[in-house]
Amino acid sequence: GHCRVTLHPDGSISVADDGRGTDTRFDGDGRPVKKPVMASKDLRFFDFPEAQTLPDGHPRRGMSVVAALSEWLVHTNRRRDGAWSQRYEHGLPVADLEPLADDGTTGTTVRFRPDNRLRTARTAGELADLVAPWPSLTVEVDDGGEYTTADVTVG
């Protein structure tokens, strides 16, 4: 697949992919219910001895960790059957799932601003180096022009 990482001037980062979008189902009243990936531990990875190790050597924990360590996070989800967005602050949802206009695409965008104590300056090249372990992923890093945008294809 394809992923685009954008470093925004306000210190936030967005990661967008062109996948199928986060699993979203409809309740008995026809309201969308998104899998709570941003606000609950992913039990496939927490306290599981065989959890996948990431390239930095840390075990995989799931998106709830990103949400919890961010001042705010907005999860935008586009699927064939609809599109929605939801905002989180310090890992907790602060808004309901909001419907979005269908733009004909699918995928997930997560835009977040890491807690100030966790922010580190990264260049497009440094971020591009992180994709090497995923040979079937193409990543585009856009840092707003301060450095050259990097298109990285591995594999």
Side-chain angles (χ1 to χ4, degrees), residues 56-109:
D56 62 6
H58 291 89
R60 183 172 177 182
R61 295 292 190 211
M63 284 304 300
S64 62
V65 172
V66 175
L69 297 176
S70 297
E71 293 174 11
W72 55 264
L73 178 146
V74 177
H75 177 256
T76 302
N77 179 33
R78 295 187 177 281
R79 292 179 63 88
R80 284 182 282 160
D81 58 352
W84 306 272
S85 185
Q86 189 168 28
R87 183 180 173 95
Y88 299 78
E89 292 178 5
H90 300 284
L92 300 174
V94 295
D96 291 332
L97 203 56
E98 297 291 329
L100 301 173
D102 184 4
D103 67 0
T105 65
T106 61
T108 303
T109 301

Side-chain angles (χ1 to χ4, degrees), residues 42-66:
D42 189 327
L43 298 178
R44 296 173 297 168
F45 307 118
F46 271 83
D47 299 325
F48 185 67
E50 292 84 28
Q52 177 185 7
T53 302
L54 297 173
D56 62 6
H58 291 89
R60 183 172 177 182
R61 295 292 190 211
M63 284 304 300
S64 62
V65 172
V66 175

Side-chain angles (χ1 to χ4, degrees), residues 2-55:
H2 181 78
C3 176
R4 180 182 177 102
V5 177
T6 303
L7 308 177
H8 300 278
D10 67 355
S12 67
I13 301 165
S14 61
V15 180
D17 68 38
D18 60 354
R20 67 179 181 260
T22 306
D23 187 18
T24 304
R25 304 200 177 152
F26 296 89
D27 67 13
D29 295 323
R31 293 181 303 229
V33 179
K34 179 178 54 66
K35 189 166 122 179
V37 295
M38 297 296 165
S40 63
K41 288 182 180 181
D42 189 327
L43 298 178
R44 296 173 297 168
F45 307 118
F46 271 83
D47 299 325
F48 185 67
E50 292 84 28
Q52 177 185 7
T53 302
L54 297 173

